[in-house]
Structure formats: C-alpha cells, structure tokens
Amino acid sequence: MTSVNILRLYLPNYCQNQNEHNAAFGKWYARVKYLESLNTRKLSNHIAEHGSIYTPDIVYGVMEKFRSCLLEMLLNSKKVKIEGLGTFYTTLECQKGGALAKDKFNILKDVKGLHIRFLPETEQEQNISSREFLKQAEFINIDSLLPKEEEEEGENGSTGNGSTEQGGSTENGGSQNGGGTSGGDNGGNSGGDDSGDDDERPGAGG
C-alpha cells in the first residue's frame, strides 16, 4: 500500500486582510489533514498485523513498558535515543526575568515547566529531520478526494479548491511546515501540530 500525506490548502484569516499592500494578502498555505489518532492499543494491533510473531497483547505490554521506562529515564536526567527515530530529552522553561542572583534562584518560583522534547534522527543513513523527511513524503490534496459539491463549498470558505498543479506538489505541501524541528535546550517548541485553527501563522512551531 502506498503511503501518502493528505493535505488541504487554506487561506489564513490574516491573509484575508483586504489591504492589497500587505505582503501576506491572498497567500495560500497547506497543512496536513489527519485521518485518525492511533492510541497505544491501535498501534499495537497494527504492529502485530505486520508479520510480527508477537500477539497484540504482547506488543502492547512492551510499548507500555517502554513508555514508563522512557519517563523514568527522562526524570533521571538522561536522554533516550531510539536509533532510526530520534532522541527524547527534557528542557527547563524558566520564568521571564530570571532570578536576581545565583543564590536567589528558587526552583519552585523561577522554573515554569519541564518539557519533554523530541529531536528526529539526523544520522546520514537514517536522517528524518524535517527537510529530509519531506523528501520521503508524497502528498495528495484532500479536494481531489471530495465530491464536487463539497469542493465548490471550499471555494467560498477558508479552505481552497486547489488546482491539480497545487494538489500533490511538495512545493505547496510542505515548504511552510517546520515539521520535526525541535526547540533545543533553550526551551523551544517541538514540531507543530497542524490541527489548529486556520488563522494560525504557517511555520509557527507550537
């Protein structure tokens, strides 16, 4: 079965500003259209169906153990690298302004959060950083899958009907997506979730 990413074109609210001198006026972008969110049980069933000698219950048990051990290692100040996938690690988010002096720093007052981050694999033979992962992806415009009447409705809304030329091109599909870039030790955001409102600015990480 061919793997494809379904995308949809949209016109953000801030791009609908009637000021034609605005550089963003009338500009269209793309975001991924998610078909489903797999929980641990569903993913376990999927793995078991891929020629695995293990039953779904065994796969589920291993994944649950992985989850609990991953959190344990992260809370013990360790990074966890999964070869071919990437590295899980933590970063601290401090309150704005910081402490007035080193001896005045208070973990309860001056630290806002402890974030779990993910950095995609960047080793040459298994590189799935956002730009390299984009090269492996194929895209199809959701408008090409919709009945004609739904497609025409999209022309009047924030989502566009999308021409054949725009539909499957990686040029329009992924160049605006920050993908799996991670925030690093300064507490930046991991790869963004494209499932938000249409007025989100493209490329915004969080």
Side-chain angles (χ1 to χ4, degrees):
M1 180 180 176
T2 304
S3 298
V4 295
N5 281 279
I6 297 177
L7 60 82
R8 68 183 180 89
L9 304 180
Y10 72 103
L11 185 63
N13 289 341
Y14 69 90
C15 291
Q16 298 179 38
N17 189 325
Q18 295 304 311
N19 181 5
E20 296 187 17
H21 299 293
N22 187 332
F25 174 72
K27 300 298 175 59
W28 288 78
Y29 299 91
R31 63 159 52 108
V32 173
K33 174 66 177 177
Y34 298 106
L35 300 179
E36 183 182 3
S37 293
L38 296 181
N39 58 22
T40 308
R41 182 64 70 183
K42 288 182 178 180
L43 183 57
S44 300
N45 291 338
H46 176 79
I47 293 172
E49 290 168 359
H50 269 248
S52 173
I53 62 173
Y54 303 107
T55 64
D57 284 344
I58 292 177
V59 177
Y60 180 83
V62 172
M63 293 187 69
E64 275 294 295
K65 199 64 175 175
F66 167 78
R67 180 192 61 79
S68 63
C69 289
L70 172 64
L71 295 178
E72 178 187 354
M73 294 298 100
L74 293 176
L75 289 172
N76 275 281
S77 200
K78 295 179 181 179
K79 292 183 177 181
V80 178
K81 180 176 181 179
I82 308 299
E83 282 79 4
L85 183 62
T87 302
F88 293 90
Y89 62 102
T90 58
T91 61
L92 286 171
E93 179 183 1
C94 294
Q95 298 286 1
K96 291 183 179 179
L100 295 176
K102 186 176 181 180
D103 59 353
K104 299 291 185 182
F105 188 89
N106 184 307
I107 194 72
L108 297 177
K109 184 181 70 173
D110 296 313
V111 173
K112 188 175 181 180
L114 178 64
H115 299 284
I116 297 176
R117 304 296 187 189
F118 174 76
L119 181 67
E121 178 68 77
T122 56
E123 295 295 330
Q124 194 59 44
E125 65 276 10
Q126 297 175 316
N127 192 342
I128 57 169
S129 60
S130 58
R131 290 176 187 245
E132 291 300 318
F133 201 41
L134 176 63
K135 295 176 184 178
Q136 301 176 32
E138 293 183 24
F139 296 93
I140 183 170
N141 191 337
I142 192 172
D143 293 327
S144 66
L145 305 177
L146 296 175
K148 185 64 178 175
E149 55 271 18
E150 291 187 37
E151 184 177 328
E152 290 172 352
E153 282 181 19
E155 294 179 16
N156 300 318
S158 61
T159 55
N161 64 331
S163 66
T164 304
E165 294 161 5
Q166 291 173 314
S169 72
T170 53
E171 223 169 76
N172 293 287
S175 62
Q176 300 294 333
N177 183 10
T181 53
S182 188
D185 290 339
N186 63 355
N189 291 324
S190 295
D193 180 0
D194 289 326
S195 61
D197 296 332
D198 281 349
D199 60 354
E200 291 177 353
R201 294 185 179 269

